[in-house]
Amino acid sequence: MSQTKMRRGFVRLAPLCLSLLVPAAHADEVDASKNVDEPAAEHVDQHAIVTLLRSGNPAEAFEMAFEGGDLLFETVFNALDGVGANVGHGERFTRTPRADLHGPGEWANHVPARETGPNASSCNACHNNPGDDGSGSNSENVHRDPQHSADISHFIQRNTPHLFGAGAVQRLAEEMTVVMQRIRDGAGRAACATGRTVSLPLLAKGVSFGSITARPTGSPCKPSFDTSKVAGVSTDLVVRPFQWKGVVAFIRNFNRDASNNEIGMQAVELVGKGVDGDGDHVVDEMTVGDQTALAVYVASQPRPTTRVELASLGLIPPLTSAETTAIRNGRSSFASVGCADCHTPSMRLEDPVFREPSANPAYRDAVFPSGDNPVALEVDPALPVRFDLTKDQPDNQIKDSSGNVVFRLGSIARDSRGVAQVQLYGDLKRHDIGPDMAEQIDEKGTGPSVFLTENLWGVGTTGPWMHDGRATTLAGAIALHGGEAAGSRGKFQALTPAQQQEVVAFLENLVLFKLLTE
């Protein structure tokens, strides 16, 4: 594969023609374009990032990764990049999963097996509400066929989530996992030390995940664990804070799957070097450096904010006294009816430094899906790209006329004791929200009506709502909550209309905002 150097750390990759392996329609487009057009992507060189880290320049490594991820996120990829895939009849994109297409290189034979798409040619084609890195409208819904049934009655839908504050969400999950696994291990040691059964509550950052029981077995003693009362998390006690079902642990994994499924850009670490897994006549579509850059870019997205905060900084017009009163009263009612029991307003983050790859083995690849060793490809936890979530986000820095940063709107705030507080309005826990929200299939084995609590920061600007975008109003979204949330829904519905309007005003106060930069 030829490589032409662009600017430092970025390379242009040319497609490798494999016309004997794929239908002529895709070969013809690539062959017709390669001597006339150029790929759109500027790929990131992982070795260049690692070289900066080894030479003691972590800030430059972070900047390179962030800028590379930013460019990739907004790139409209073309056929020479490998965008899309063979979805039949020479087409590259589809909103309808095509498990019925079994021809050479067609949808049903893609590696890895697809559940959807490809349906877009860029990341921000779907993450665009109210702007780049935001959520998506109903028209951007992803239709999935996880069982490859080709039966539309078994299809499910997913609405595009926003990406703001993603790094803080992963870090919270990492810390919660450490706490619960320590509790489990402590129960095991206590069981062996006493020769008795030991049960302990699983409590992390104020969130209850049920309890775990350890029993002493064997000689020498090795504890066995009863996880039947573990709730809202997998039995390995790894908090997985991404996807609507709460089944993906870390951002790199989330991005890699989205790159493949939604855009059709297959990462080397997903399928292997030189492998055309989706029949589009292009290999090595995303480099290892690309995935590092996208992970760093998404992780460093600014936190959501509030209209009250924006008004106090002069970034939007002042709010009226009636508006601030409604927001204040709505916050109180939100808590009193029990919504805050799951939508926890704030969580303490002990270590606000995000690392890619993570220092926690549960939040990085031991082996890439391709079978490659990440360390051999220079994705090494001993040399992570790192940044501080409380001060290093490049976006939403408010500067004075001299260019000095006077306020970091995008960064996680610290309290009076200097501790980072993530105001996410979520608990990173899976809940059963009732039969009315149950899907026609159990996609991930977690239960057809079980979903991860949606973090509400930014909710005022990310409609439509719910996992499939079925709610077009916030009050409508509340009305859809059943199961574990039925009690809170009933209390909300028992409020006066004026009080309900105040709760909605409070939710509308939680917004996404990004300063325009030159």
Side-chain angles (χ1 to χ4, degrees), residues 1 109 161 230 236 276 315 376 390 426 506:
M1 176 156 302
N109 294 318
V230 172
D236 60 4
D276 179 20
L315 296 173
T390 66
F506 161 66

Side-chain angles (χ1 to χ4, degrees), residues 141-375:
N141 272 14
V142 171
H143 297 75
R144 301 167 65 88
D145 184 11
Q147 298 175 337
H148 274 220
S149 64
D151 180 351
I152 197 169
S153 68
H154 288 184
F155 288 9
I156 58 176
Q157 291 190 58
R158 292 288 180 264
N159 189 246
T160 306
H162 75 77
L163 302 176
F164 281 51
V169 171
Q170 180 174 318
R171 283 294 300 125
L172 285 173
E174 290 176 0
E175 291 189 350
M176 295 170 87
T177 294
V178 168
V179 168
M180 288 196 290
Q181 291 183 344
R182 283 177 180 168
I183 293 170
R184 177 197 61 196
D185 296 345
R189 288 192 297 270
C192 284
T194 64
R196 294 180 167 183
T197 297
V198 175
S199 295
L200 293 176
L202 292 168
L203 189 68
K205 297 190 184 294
V207 179
S208 172
F209 290 90
S211 63
I212 193 162
T213 298
R215 295 184 175 89
T217 58
S219 180
C221 182
K222 183 178 181 181
S224 63
F225 295 99
D226 178 356
T227 59
S228 61
K229 294 185 179 180
V230 172
V233 67
S234 299
T235 55
D236 60 4
L237 305 184
V238 175
V239 176
R240 294 173 171 84
F242 300 113
Q243 289 199 355
W244 287 95
K245 287 287 186 176
V247 293
V248 173
F250 54 102
I251 292 170
R252 189 184 193 106
N253 189 355
F254 178 89
N255 290 346
R256 187 168 56 212
D257 285 348
S259 298
N260 175 48
N261 282 302
E262 273 66 70
I263 308 176
M265 295 288 289
Q266 295 196 312
V268 168
E269 65 196 58
L270 180 68
V271 296
K273 191 169 180 60
V275 176
D276 179 20
D278 57 2
D280 64 1
H281 204 55
V282 182
V283 299
D284 302 344
E285 297 170 358
M286 278 199 162
T287 67
V288 172
D290 290 344
Q291 290 301 317
T292 295
L294 282 168
V296 170
Y297 174 72
V298 171
S300 56
Q301 284 305 294
R303 64 170 171 85
T305 181
T306 67
R307 294 176 65 237
V308 169
E309 182 179 36
L310 295 175
S312 72
L313 295 169
L315 296 173
I316 63 172
L319 303 185
T320 66
S321 59
E323 287 177 310
T324 57
T325 297
I327 291 168
R328 183 175 62 252
N329 292 344
R331 182 188 299 113
S332 177
S333 293
F334 181 84
S336 68
V337 301
C339 295
D341 293 349
C342 295
H343 295 286
T344 305
S346 182
M347 286 189 186
R348 176 186 178 116
L349 185 59
E350 303 295 340
D351 178 6
V353 175
F354 184 92
R355 298 165 179 85
E356 173 53 41
S358 174
N360 188 322
Y363 293 86
R364 64 174 189 260
D365 295 292
V367 178
F368 280 140
S370 64
D372 291 314
N373 180 350
V375 175

Side-chain angles (χ1 to χ4, degrees), residues 33 56 137 194 264 478:
S33 301
S137 69
T194 64
I478 295 171

Side-chain angles (χ1 to χ4, degrees), residues 95 119 125-129 134-144 156-161 244 461-473 477 480:
R95 285 271 169 199
N119 49 54
C126 295
H127 293 279
N128 54 32
N129 179 32
S135 62
S137 69
N138 309 82
S139 62
E140 278 94 40
N141 272 14
V142 171
H143 297 75
R144 301 167 65 88
I156 58 176
Q157 291 190 58
R158 292 288 180 264
N159 189 246
T160 306
W244 287 95
T461 47
T462 57
W465 297 277
M466 307 304 285
H467 66 278
D468 53 6
R470 69 177 64 186
T472 59
T473 65
L480 289 169

Side-chain angles (χ1 to χ4, degrees), residues 313 315 393-409 515-518:
L313 295 169
L315 296 173
Q393 284 93 336
D395 288 327
N396 283 5
Q397 296 182 358
I398 299 175
K399 301 179 181 180
D400 62 20
S401 58
S402 300
N404 300 310
V405 177
V406 296
F407 188 75
R408 298 182 183 275
L409 177 61
L515 285 167
L516 296 178
T517 56
E518 296 180 0

